[in-house]
Amino acid sequence: AHVVSNADEVTVRLTDRREFSAKVIGSDTRTDVAVIKIDAKDLPTVRIGDHTKLRPGEWVLAIGSPFGLENTATAGIVSATSRAVAGETDVPFIQTDVAVNPGNSGGPLFNLQGEVVGINSMIFSRTGGYMGISFAVPIDVAMHVRDQLVKTGHVVRGRIGVTVQNVDAALAQSFGLDRPRGALVSSVENGSPADKAGLKAGDVILRVDETPVDYSFQLSSFISRQPPGDECTLTLWRNRHELVVKVKVAELKEPKGSRTSDAHASGEEGGARLGLVVRPLSAEEKDARGISSGVMVAAVSGSAARAGLQPGDIVVALNSRPIR
């Protein structure tokens, strides 16, 4: 999606040097997937693979046009098959060490069977160039988005109305879990499907249907792909026991306006012992996120930084007590 965003014209150039004008059918910024169409016949095609069969250590190949060098192939191995990236909650990225540079975005990631298992999307870099960490959108996520864009021109996502976070070793011990796993519910939106199903702050979601949840982003990714109106079975950990509830998925309404940048956060200093500088949330920010309380983190240091808090995070409760 970021390749074709704001483009006046899109041109597809084939390996035989033919060129076609393309039409953007639709794009989805949350997954960075876009669908374009050209009028042509007898085009070569690639086989679509199953990214769930990928394993860390497996060899993969990327093809793209880094720095304008067409049909460049680079190889590497899979580091992780379901990696969370800060600020991206809808995509369980494939992480590789394949050399990906500007111009590779939108290109295919192949397995050794010549099947496409991902779409190269972004890199981690301090310089703007390749540093050994690259990310690809799993092909099943891309195809799910493709189907919706072709059918309706936009993507519909599910939601249940919870804010979640990861469970670390200290939290797992305090909850009586055998190991760090699950998505810890930080807050439940009033009147949401989760609220109607009886979820509470402090619950740990361990499974959705039969799919285990090890990290909080896996819950967000799974729920977002459920059609609104479908019912999901959640296995919770509450008061050191498992509890099963059913939740009816609602439609996620995209908030209007862009995310507030922490560069403009000029709030009051507080919580010095935690190492946090926070500011109040405006009514619009609360409405956009579906929460009734909380403060925005503007700067982090000390124990808060060691615990993983980052500027832009919203602290909604302290020991289950809402922060207003």
Side-chain angles (χ1 to χ4, degrees):
H2 76 264
V3 175
V4 300
S5 64
N6 301 319
D8 295 322
E9 297 179 357
V10 177
T11 301
V12 173
R13 182 181 297 114
L14 305 185
T15 54
D16 62 8
R17 297 167 65 183
R18 287 186 295 163
E19 295 186 1
F20 297 89
S21 293
K23 177 183 179 182
V24 178
I25 301 299
S27 63
D28 179 54
T29 56
R30 292 177 72 105
T31 55
D32 198 24
V33 172
V35 175
I36 63 176
K37 180 181 180 179
I38 62 175
D39 290 323
K41 296 181 180 180
D42 302 322
L43 294 173
T45 59
V46 291
R47 296 196 307 275
I48 301 301
D50 183 358
H51 101 277
T52 61
K53 295 181 180 179
L54 274 180
R55 295 294 180 266
E58 185 175 338
W59 282 90
V60 284
L61 179 81
I63 296 179
S65 300
F67 307 111
L69 301 171
E70 298 176 3
N71 303 313
T72 295
T74 51
I77 61 171
V78 175
S79 302
T81 57
S82 184
R83 182 74 81 190
V85 177
E88 308 288 341
T89 59
D90 289 328
V91 181
F93 285 99
I94 302 169
Q95 180 190 330
T96 74
D97 71 344
V98 177
V100 171
N101 285 289
N104 272 113
S105 293
L109 184 73
F110 289 96
N111 61 18
L112 289 185
Q113 287 71 49
E115 300 167 331
V116 178
V117 292
I119 299 177
N120 298 311
S121 177
M122 60 183 174
I123 60 175
F124 172 84
S125 177
R126 297 187 187 277
T127 64
Y130 168 72
M131 295 189 71
I133 299 177
S134 53
F135 299 97
V137 178
I139 196 61
D140 69 323
V141 173
M143 298 303 273
H144 175 74
V145 171
R146 186 279 309 265
D147 292 342
Q148 294 197 63
L149 289 177
V150 169
K151 185 176 181 180
T152 65
H154 67 280
V155 179
V156 175
R157 290 184 168 84
R159 65 182 293 274
I160 59 174
V162 293
T163 303
V164 294
Q165 68 182 72
N166 282 330
V167 176
D168 59 19
L171 288 171
Q173 184 178 14
S174 68
F175 292 138
L177 283 168
D178 55 343
R179 63 178 178 84
R181 60 190 175 104
L184 172 60
V185 177
S186 303
S187 65
V188 180
E189 180 186 335
N190 291 333
S192 67
D195 185 30
K196 294 175 182 177
L199 270 75
K200 302 177 180 178
D203 288 343
V204 179
I205 301 174
L206 301 178
R207 286 190 298 277
V208 181
D209 295 334
E210 298 302 321
T211 304
V213 176
D214 281 326
Y215 298 95
S216 59
F217 83 94
Q218 293 174 324
L219 174 73
S220 303
S221 176
F222 186 92
I223 294 297
S224 70
R225 282 187 272 171
Q226 301 308 302
D230 278 14
E231 191 174 66
C232 290
T233 301
L234 303 183
T235 302
L236 312 177
W237 185 259
R238 179 189 294 174
N239 297 328
R240 297 178 179 261
H241 292 90
E242 283 194 1
L243 175 68
V244 176
V245 299
K246 291 187 180 295
V247 180
K248 191 172 184 179
V249 178
E251 182 178 348
L252 174 64
K253 301 293 185 182
E254 299 287 354
K256 295 182 180 180
S258 59
R259 185 181 307 167
T260 302
S261 170
D262 59 297
H264 301 291
S266 56
E268 305 167 7
E269 185 170 352
R273 291 186 181 180
L274 290 177
L276 285 177
V277 177
V278 301
R279 67 168 177 83
L281 289 173
S282 67
E284 291 77 10
E285 288 173 326
K286 291 178 183 178
D287 290 343
R289 292 163 175 81
I291 57 178
S292 58
S293 61
V295 290
M296 175 78 77
V297 176
V300 187
S301 62
S303 59
R306 290 191 293 273
L309 272 76
Q310 301 175 2
D313 286 347
I314 296 176
V315 183
V316 296
L318 180 66
N319 288 339
S320 298
R321 294 186 178 183
I323 295 176
R324 306 197 181 280

